[in-house]
Amino acid sequence: MSTKSFFNIGIAGAGLLGRLMAWRLSEKGHQVTLFESGRLEKPVGACHTAAGMISPLSELFHCPLPIYQLGMQSLQHWPSWVSQLEQTTGTNVDYREKGSILIAHPQDRNELLQFQQELNAKLGPENRDQLQWLDNSALRNLEPELDRFDQGLYLSSEADIDNRKLLLALLKALKQNKIEIRENTSVDCTPETIQTKSGSEHFDLVIDTRGLGAKQQISGLRGVRGEVMVVETPEVELNRPVRLLHPRYQLYAVPRANNQAVIGATEIESEDRSPISLRSTMELSSALYSIHPAFAEARVIETRVNCRPATMDNLPVVESEPGLIRINGLFRHGYLLAPALVIQAEAEISRLTQTTEQVT
Ligand SMILES: Cc1cc2nc3c(=O)[nH]c(=O)nc-3n(C[C@H](O)[C@H](O)[C@H](O)COP(=O)(O)OP(=O)(O)OC[C@H]3O[C@@H](n4cnc5c(N)ncnc54)[C@H](O)[C@@H]3O)c2cc1C
């Protein structure tokens, strides 16, 4: 291990975690080299496919409490990180703190009640004000386009971000910070060493953020296929992410600039990244149409497919050994969890630098 207070750090994988880590560490004065098997302008990782929701409450329905707790921590960091990033790069990443809305058709009212009961039980009495029951008029006040629904739930603390704008802003910041970027370079990671096809490079510390690319190194890591569509219509204006609760389908619509919305997402136990299936297209489209008939005339401008990197228990892993930190398994929670996990890794790095300073 080096005896410096600023490390020479190699990061493998320039997805969401790799970019965030590289940005934060370069801001703190560490010397960073970032390796990516693809290209940074055109990311291929799950980060590029995602819908960018930062939704600890919605996720708590299916997930254990730590996902919610880490998500709430992340929500404390996103605003200042985004504002620093936007100021230094002169870009806008459309971070929005407008909460999200859950709706159900009248015959599925039980889905909403069940969601509310489950969350209330998990959150405990002190946090119950995070869920707000909406009648038709309260719903209309927040989302006029949802006036055909009698009831809904409002999760006011949730946020979302335009993931693609964020990834480009981070790239711009990395270039401004003059970090060394190696694109089209597939690598392997061991403590203090990154191996490329042309040889080994030594670092004080290696950080492995390769997502599914680290499958051989993270026990039980698997890909979970997710399919989304991007639609465009000026006819339906939503102000925040909307989720439709349904006994059979999962659907969300995340409004984006220029009358676009990201519609998703399937969750299929498969590592197949081939194009979206006809069945998924039909299910997403018909569920979307059931929210508002004007979606019938929306144009499908893009479909995206990717695999979420997930562990066997769907919880993230932060593993540390001398000279190597691995962060992985962010599953469907990359944007939700990344800041909290980056902060954990930073604490570990500052512990390491202090230890080496004491050694000198
Ligand atoms: C359809 C879908 C919707 C989603 N929606 C949301 C959402 O709304 N909110 C949310 O919080 N999360 C969402 N996610 C999850 C989120 O996208 C992931 O959790 C997140 O992208 C994981 O980040 P990561 O940096 O660990 O991995 P990735 O984003 O996959 O990045 C890994 C990077 O490592 C690179 N790499 C791989 N192997 C190598 C190698 N050998 N050498 C060099 N580089 C390598 C890859 O090319 C890639 O750039 C969604 C995911 C999908 C698929």
Side-chain angles (χ1 to χ4, degrees), residues 113-182:
L113 291 170
Q114 206 184 327
F115 183 98
Q116 188 187 32
Q117 278 164 13
E118 171 107 16
L119 254 67
N120 280 342
K122 285 182 172 173
L123 288 168
E126 67 281 7
N127 286 311
R128 283 190 187 157
D129 57 349
Q130 294 198 59
L131 266 76
Q132 200 183 316
W133 189 267
L134 303 171
D135 61 14
N136 174 268
S137 98
L139 186 55
R140 249 184 306 140
N141 279 340
L142 286 168
E143 291 292 348
E145 303 282 11
L146 299 180
D147 59 352
R148 56 186 48 69
F149 288 86
D150 290 338
Q151 68 256 314
L153 278 170
Y154 181 40
L155 314 180
S156 59
S157 53
E158 299 199 330
D160 67 285
I161 193 164
D162 187 321
N163 52 314
R164 293 191 168 180
K165 288 186 178 171
L166 173 74
L167 294 170
L168 287 176
L170 283 167
L171 176 57
K172 197 169 177 189
L174 297 180
K175 288 180 175 166
Q176 283 174 355
N177 287 1
K178 301 205 176 348
I179 81 150
E180 195 169 333
I181 296 175
R182 309 268 184 84

Side-chain angles (χ1 to χ4, degrees), residues 5-12 17-34 81 84 170 173-174 177 179 205-209 325 327 341-353:
S5 48
F6 294 112
F7 278 174
N8 181 15
I9 299 176
I11 299 180
L17 273 175
R19 285 174 203 230
L20 270 179
M21 285 282 0
W23 175 56
R24 295 273 307 171
L25 293 172
S26 59
E27 288 285 320
K28 287 178 192 298
H30 296 285
Q31 190 184 331
V32 178
T33 307
L34 181 60
W81 291 17
Q84 185 188 348
L170 283 167
L174 297 180
N177 287 1
I179 81 150
L205 177 69
V206 168
I207 305 179
D208 184 353
T209 52
I325 296 176
I327 318 175
L341 299 180
V342 166
I343 295 280
Q344 271 184 35
E346 284 175 1
E348 177 64 8
I349 294 165
S350 88
R351 193 186 62 76
L352 289 172
T353 49

Side-chain angles (χ1 to χ4, degrees), residues 13-18 35-38 44-47 49-53 185-187 209-211 213 226-228 252 265 306-309 330-336:
L16 172 63
L17 273 175
F35 297 85
E36 166 58 42
S37 53
V44 291
C47 54
T49 310
M53 288 177 294
T185 309
S186 181
V187 301
T209 52
R210 287 177 295 160
E227 300 156 304
V228 296
Y252 54 71
N306 219 314
C307 289
R308 310 167 177 97
L330 272 66
F331 186 38
R332 44 186 288 162
H333 309 127
Y335 292 84
L336 177 63

Side-chain angles (χ1 to χ4, degrees), residues 52-340:
M53 288 177 294
I54 304 165
S55 45
L57 290 159
S58 303
E59 292 300 319
L60 183 57
F61 185 64
H62 307 278
C63 297
L65 208 54
I67 298 291
Y68 162 79
Q69 289 161 335
L70 288 167
M72 292 307 283
Q73 283 172 31
S74 291
L75 274 173
Q76 288 174 8
H77 299 295
W78 272 123
S80 59
W81 291 17
V82 162
S83 123
Q84 185 188 348
L85 195 59
E86 289 185 335
Q87 273 172 27
T88 52
T89 59
T91 53
N92 184 341
V93 300
D94 292 350
Y95 177 74
R96 179 168 49 194
E97 284 183 337
K98 282 195 171 181
S100 57
I101 284 185
L102 274 61
I103 46 172
H105 293 294
Q107 66 273 25
D108 302 327
R109 187 169 192 266
N110 270 345
E111 299 289 320
L112 277 177
L113 291 170
Q114 206 184 327
F115 183 98
Q116 188 187 32
Q117 278 164 13
E118 171 107 16
L119 254 67
N120 280 342
K122 285 182 172 173
L123 288 168
E126 67 281 7
N127 286 311
R128 283 190 187 157
D129 57 349
Q130 294 198 59
L131 266 76
Q132 200 183 316
W133 189 267
L134 303 171
D135 61 14
N136 174 268
S137 98
L139 186 55
R140 249 184 306 140
N141 279 340
L142 286 168
E143 291 292 348
E145 303 282 11
L146 299 180
D147 59 352
R148 56 186 48 69
F149 288 86
D150 290 338
Q151 68 256 314
L153 278 170
Y154 181 40
L155 314 180
S156 59
S157 53
E158 299 199 330
D160 67 285
I161 193 164
D162 187 321
N163 52 314
R164 293 191 168 180
K165 288 186 178 171
L166 173 74
L167 294 170
L168 287 176
L170 283 167
L171 176 57
K172 197 169 177 189
L174 297 180
K175 288 180 175 166
Q176 283 174 355
N177 287 1
K178 301 205 176 348
I179 81 150
E180 195 169 333
I181 296 175
R182 309 268 184 84
E183 295 185 289
N184 301 313
T185 309
S186 181
V187 301
D188 274 329
C189 303
T190 52
E192 297 186 3
T193 306
I194 286 193
Q195 283 113 25
T196 66
K197 270 192 185 142
S198 46
S200 297
E201 293 190 36
H202 182 270
F203 296 92
D204 301 320
L205 177 69
V206 168
I207 305 179
D208 184 353
T209 52
R210 287 177 295 160
L212 263 192
K215 204 174 167 188
Q216 304 305 322
Q217 282 72 42
I218 308 262
S219 162
L221 193 70
R222 71 191 205 284
V224 180
R225 176 178 163 99
E227 300 156 304
V228 296
M229 297 161 64
V230 183
V231 301
E232 186 177 304
T233 175
E235 307 279 325
V236 189
E237 274 183 46
L238 298 174
N239 300 307
R240 54 181 61 74
V242 172
R243 290 179 194 248
L244 176 70
L245 300 187
H246 185 278
R248 196 181 288 262
Y249 311 114
Q250 292 184 28
L251 180 91
Y252 54 71
V254 183
R256 290 271 176 260
N258 305 322
N259 302 318
Q260 294 181 4
V262 181
I263 310 302
T266 58
E267 196 174 308
I268 301 168
E269 284 294 336
S270 160
E271 293 190 359
D272 174 10
R273 292 185 208 210
S274 62
I276 191 168
S277 68
L278 183 71
R279 177 182 175 158
S280 300
T281 314
M282 287 191 317
E283 287 179 358
L284 291 173
S285 306
S286 57
L288 182 66
Y289 175 66
S290 79
I291 290 182
H292 198 300
F295 273 121
E297 284 304 315
R299 298 300 185 250
V300 180
I301 57 170
E302 190 189 346
T303 59
R304 307 174 183 168
V305 178
N306 219 314
C307 289
R308 310 167 177 97
T311 57
M312 293 316 280
D313 58 7
N314 294 334
L315 289 171
V317 286
V318 182
E319 291 175 0
S320 175
E321 61 181 294
L324 178 64
I325 296 176
R326 297 186 196 281
I327 318 175
N328 215 313
L330 272 66
F331 186 38
R332 44 186 288 162
H333 309 127
Y335 292 84
L336 177 63
L337 303 183

